[in-house]
Amino acid sequence: MSGCIFCRIVAGEIPSKKVYEDEDIFAFNDISPARPVHILVIPKKHIESLAHVTEADTPVLGKMLAVANRLATEQGSPDGFRIIINTGRIGHQEVPHLHIHIVGGPEPVGPMLKKV
Ligand code: AMP
Ligand code: ZN
């Protein structure tokens, strides 16, 4: 999708700090890191959000999770990490191209969400 910022990153039209790439997946450092390790893992194919995946996307989703684990370990969060997939309006998704956030580092990332 030509107007999509993450599609443009995959195409090399917008610079990014790439940490991994294969035929299906691209991973790069978040431009505004929330923790010392903050990596985004995306499918190269434009999928708007987790709410838009189909049965055909399940292999790439599985691969994204497996790659996320490996990248977290390699990139400075070997003792655990958190995966976040913001989805849609309620999930406060800002970029409409499916992405996994990997957050971590040497210190615990803190409790999950403030309880209501
Ligand atoms: P979300 O709220 O889940 O849609 O998160 C979008 C994330 O993309 C945010 O953490 C942004 O900091 C990050 N982001 C936006 N533009 C870029 C960019 N050009 N390069 C790297 N990360 C970006
Ligand atoms: Zn896209």
Side-chain angles (χ1 to χ4, degrees):
M1 249 202 21
S2 57
C4 170
I5 184 169
F6 285 178
C7 284
R8 294 188 68 196
I9 283 176
V10 170
E13 294 167 11
I14 294 176
S16 70
K17 290 194 174 154
K18 178 172 89 173
V19 293
Y20 178 80
E21 180 175 13
D22 67 25
E23 65 274 25
D24 302 310
I25 291 171
F26 197 89
F28 53 104
N29 285 316
D30 196 290
I31 203 165
S32 177
R35 291 292 184 278
V37 174
H38 190 166
I39 298 165
L40 302 176
V41 184
I42 69 174
K44 285 188 169 177
K45 175 188 157 188
H46 182 83
I47 302 172
E48 188 172 323
S49 80
L50 196 60
H52 293 77
V53 301
T54 67
E55 191 75 27
D57 299 318
T58 54
V60 76
L61 289 172
K63 198 166 160 186
M64 285 165 69
L65 287 173
V67 164
N69 177 48
R70 205 172 84 220
L71 291 179
T73 303
E74 289 172 4
Q75 299 285 326
S77 203
D79 296 330
F81 54 90
R82 181 169 297 157
I83 291 295
I84 301 168
I85 306 178
N86 295 324
T87 304
R89 182 177 68 87
I90 301 298
H92 208 284
Q93 181 179 0
E94 290 179 346
V95 176
H97 180 129
L98 173 62
H99 49 282
I100 294 178
H101 294 257
I102 307 168
V103 287
E107 304 297 333
V109 298
M112 195 172 69
L113 287 174
K114 220 170 167 180
K115 301 210 165 123
V116 289

